[in-house]
Amino acid sequence: MGEHRQRYNEEFKKQTVQFIQEQTKTVGDLAEELNIPKSTLHQWMSQYRELKNEPAASVDRVRELEARLKEMSRQLQEKDNKIADVEEELAIVKKAVHIFSKPRN
């Protein structure tokens, strides 16, 4: 008396993974709701996962966005520092032009 294994078609698997990605619940919670083993859902996710479908509430997506924000902040700080350096150089050049453009007696 062996267990009868449920078989799912590719479309069902893809739709289930998309459903999981659109939820903010854990895979474990969704496995219980769908009555599908958690390990099976993880297997499907590794096969059919598309990051663009994940909500911002996904832990992986939040980490990705945080890393991107950190990099953008670093780049912005570098640009601010460059602008400050160029403004300082410009002020020095203006003073030099003013000093050297005065007529000598």
Side-chain angles (χ1 to χ4, degrees), residues 14 16-24 30 45 48-55 58:
K14 289 177 183 179
T16 303
V17 168
Q18 186 175 356
F19 175 74
I20 292 169
Q21 289 180 291
E22 292 170 351
Q23 300 298 310
T24 55
L30 291 170
M45 294 225 13
Y48 303 108
R49 187 175 187 186
E50 294 181 23
L51 292 177
K52 65 182 182 207
N53 293 335
E54 290 189 19
S58 160

Side-chain angles (χ1 to χ4, degrees), residues 39-82:
S39 60
T40 301
L41 293 181
H42 280 294
Q43 214 172 21
W44 293 354
M45 294 225 13
S46 67
Q47 285 179 317
Y48 303 108
R49 187 175 187 186
E50 294 181 23
L51 292 177
K52 65 182 182 207
N53 293 335
E54 290 189 19
S58 160
V59 174
D60 291 337
R61 182 75 172 133
V62 169
R63 285 186 186 136
E64 176 189 331
L65 291 173
E66 284 175 341
R68 194 166 163 200
L69 177 63
K70 189 175 181 179
E71 175 62 21
M72 296 298 257
S73 294
R74 185 190 63 74
Q75 289 176 359
L76 183 60
Q77 185 62 44
E78 281 180 11
K79 287 181 180 184
D80 286 346
N81 290 343
K82 265 186 184 173

